[in-house]
Amino acid sequence: MNRPASDGAAHFQPETSTAKAILGADVGGTYARLGWALLQPGGDLQVQGFRKYACAEHPSLAAILRDYADWLASNTDAPAISHAVVAIAGVLDGDTLLNTNLAWPVSSWHLATR
């Protein structure tokens, strides 16, 4: 269960005692910002491995996520990522998210199968 953070850091208290690495992405029309954090029982949530990608320079969100995962594997000591959270504004049409500022649509099914 989450508890309010009083020192500016987010605190996470999962229901299990196993720590998990999670990827977080904030995708806007111009940039996608990615980072990862280790979720530990009662631990602070601290974003690490922050990178910013220009969306127009990539053919899809899947390509950005793949590039980030490759960078993590070759340039950091980040643990294996087990979950991801992606925040992206737009209109949901079935499984496809449309954002007028992005050159490509986003499909959650497509991302999950990559």
Side-chain angles (χ1 to χ4, degrees), residues 3 9-10 15 19 21 43 47 52 59 62-63 66 72 75 79 90 92-93 96 106 113:
R3 58 187 160 125
E15 293 180 16
V47 176
K52 183 168 82 170
R66 190 171 28 258
L72 280 179
N75 295 297
L92 192 59
D93 181 14
T96 303
V106 176
T113 60

Side-chain angles (χ1 to χ4, degrees), residues 4 9 11 14-16 18-20 23 26 29 31-32 39-40 43 46 49 58-59 71 87 93 106-108 110 112:
H11 297 274
E15 293 180 16
T16 65
T18 305
K20 295 180 182 178
L23 179 144
D26 176 15
Y31 294 104
L39 304 180
Q40 296 178 238
Q46 297 180 358
H58 300 277
W71 176 79
D93 181 14
V106 176
S107 163
S108 59
H110 180 79

Side-chain angles (χ1 to χ4, degrees), residues 20-93:
K20 295 180 182 178
I22 186 168
L23 179 144
D26 176 15
V27 181
T30 305
Y31 294 104
R33 295 164 178 86
L34 285 77
W36 69 274
L38 189 60
L39 304 180
Q40 296 178 238
D44 291 343
L45 183 66
Q46 297 180 358
V47 176
Q48 301 181 54
F50 176 80
R51 294 197 66 174
K52 183 168 82 170
Y53 292 83
C55 293
E57 295 176 4
H58 300 277
S60 66
L61 179 56
I64 291 173
L65 294 172
R66 190 171 28 258
D67 184 80
Y68 185 75
D70 291 347
W71 176 79
L72 280 179
S74 62
N75 295 297
T76 73
D77 59 354
I81 303 295
S82 59
H83 295 79
V85 175
V86 178
I88 182 169
V91 176
L92 192 59
D93 181 14

